[in-house]
Amino acid sequence: MVPQRWTLQTPVHYAAQMHATKHRNIMRRRDMAISSERVVEDLIGTFSESLKAHGFEIYPFKVGWYNAVLSHGHHLPYPADTLAVVVLSTPAMFERSFLPFLQNRHCEGLRDPIDQCCVHTVSACVSLCFPDQSVDVSYDYEMLPSRRPKFLAQTAAHISGAAYYYQKSDIHSPPWADQKMFGVCIHPKLGGWFAIRALLVFQDVRVGADLQQKDPPDCVRSQEDRIDLLERFNFRWQDGSYRDIVPTEERYSDQQREYFTTPPDQRGELLRRWGFLMEMDTEKQSSTNKQG
């Protein structure tokens, strides 16, 4: 397969540069207070559009919403009214970002190629849109020295209203007794065809009372369907059927499914056959891939 030519540059980058210029003087102020939801949208709107062009979505929330549902050991170390956003990758990310990322030979070292692509894209958009703002960026694979994740991705998706986090506690009479069942987020438009990639905290931005928390859409409403969802996810996640628990507007392409269903230690060879990696790169990627 001969790879097509893609580029990460889009017209949105120009808008992002204009956005950065517009807000530069404001962003230099410490502890910037935002009093309305509309101003929040204005602050992150171009950032959202820039990431959307690369196949990502963002959802804003207050740090306090996240900390309120977690034990102290998992709290984000910021005031409750600090602005944060969670970043999701949609099915479009693979073609809009990942393949161009590989084509442009940005992938290097031993880190997972998808992780590298997400870091490359998110950090580039942050730099363009917020050159003078303190933004703490955490990725889904990063761990604290205590070996805890830097953030709980599915909790962040739920409290931001992005996707409903279905857990065993959502079942009135769980049929699994004391068996541990992992929960899973379902997006109202994408079902399970997405991934939670990053959390951004705007360290100096305080959000007013006008930004109200919105519940995520409960799109798996019946007890029977919730049981079915958790069983699909816990007992046969490899077949991906849990992703289609609700009707979806987008799904992974055939090429994307081939990549994620290929065993991790064989994905480097797959990328080489697609024409994206040289032989030495294939060896580096042999054990560093993960599920999408």
Side-chain angles (χ1 to χ4, degrees):
M1 170 181 175
V2 178
Q4 302 176 39
R5 289 284 172 183
W6 291 278
T7 176
L8 282 173
Q9 295 296 320
T10 72
V12 176
H13 281 78
Y14 175 76
Q17 291 171 334
M18 298 302 293
H19 170 87
T21 301
K22 176 182 177 182
H23 288 284
R24 182 165 283 119
N25 292 332
I26 297 176
M27 292 305 184
R28 284 174 178 158
R29 297 206 317 248
R30 300 288 295 177
D31 296 330
M32 172 182 162
I34 296 180
S35 60
S36 73
E37 187 170 359
R38 182 167 186 174
V39 178
V40 172
E41 294 173 354
D42 183 56
L43 172 66
I44 64 175
T46 304
F47 178 62
S48 175
E49 288 301 310
S50 182
L51 281 176
K52 183 178 179 181
H54 298 307
F56 294 86
E57 295 179 347
I58 68 170
Y59 294 83
F61 64 94
K62 297 180 184 179
V63 164
W65 303 350
Y66 177 91
N67 288 347
V69 300
L70 295 172
S71 63
H72 186 268
H74 289 289
H75 282 188
L76 298 173
Y78 301 99
D81 57 352
T82 305
L83 177 65
V85 300
V86 64
V87 181
L88 313 183
S89 63
T90 73
M93 181 275 292
F94 194 82
E95 281 75 23
R96 293 182 186 176
S97 291
F98 185 56
L99 297 184
F101 175 80
L102 294 172
Q103 178 66 46
N104 292 328
R105 300 293 181 187
H106 290 299
C107 187
E108 59 184 29
L110 298 177
R111 291 215 336 263
D112 177 83
I114 289 285
D115 288 344
Q116 290 189 56
C117 173
C118 291
V119 171
H120 177 83
T121 305
V122 172
S123 61
C125 291
V126 169
S127 296
L128 278 170
C129 294
F130 309 110
D132 301 304
Q133 178 71 344
S134 296
V135 184
D136 181 14
V137 184
S138 301
Y139 294 94
D140 65 300
Y141 59 86
E142 291 185 313
M143 307 292 285
L144 296 168
S146 63
R147 302 309 299 163
R148 287 180 172 177
K150 280 195 170 183
F151 74 101
L152 298 184
Q154 299 201 98
T155 299
H158 185 94
I159 60 93
S160 69
Y164 199 107
Y165 184 21
Y166 292 97
Q167 304 177 73
K168 188 176 180 179
S169 58
D170 292 306
I171 309 299
H172 300 324
S173 299
W176 314 289
D178 295 330
Q179 182 175 357
K180 183 175 179 60
M181 299 291 285
F182 292 100
V184 60
C185 277
I186 296 297
H187 189 287
K189 296 181 180 179
L190 303 175
W193 300 100
F194 75 101
I196 305 158
R197 300 297 183 182
L199 175 75
L200 281 62
V201 178
F202 294 80
Q203 298 180 33
D204 304 324
V205 179
R206 306 290 177 258
V207 185
D210 286 349
L211 181 63
Q212 295 295 309
Q213 187 170 9
K214 301 173 183 177
D215 292 332
D218 181 4
C219 46
V220 185
R221 301 189 64 86
S222 76
Q223 290 291 297
E224 293 78 8
D225 286 345
R226 292 179 180 183
I227 290 172
D228 184 26
L229 169 64
L230 294 186
E231 290 186 343
R232 291 189 195 190
F233 183 69
N234 283 268
F235 302 147
R236 50 185 189 277
W237 61 266
Q238 295 95 331
D239 66 17
S241 62
Y242 76 90
R243 300 181 189 269
D244 288 316
I245 195 71
V246 297
T248 60
E249 295 182 1
E250 295 180 61
R251 305 170 85 233
Y252 289 178
S253 65
D254 290 342
Q255 187 177 22
Q256 186 169 184
R257 288 190 211 178
E258 182 181 5
Y259 179 80
F260 286 120
T261 57
T262 297
D265 62 353
Q266 298 176 26
R267 289 177 186 167
E269 173 61 24
L270 177 65
L271 292 179
R272 190 189 67 79
R273 286 194 281 108
W274 286 354
F276 291 114
L277 293 182
M278 305 299 291
E279 192 68 38
M280 63 178 62
D281 297 322
T282 302
E283 296 175 3
K284 291 179 181 180
Q285 301 298 338
S286 62
S287 62
T288 60
N289 301 273
K290 67 181 182 181
Q291 180 190 9

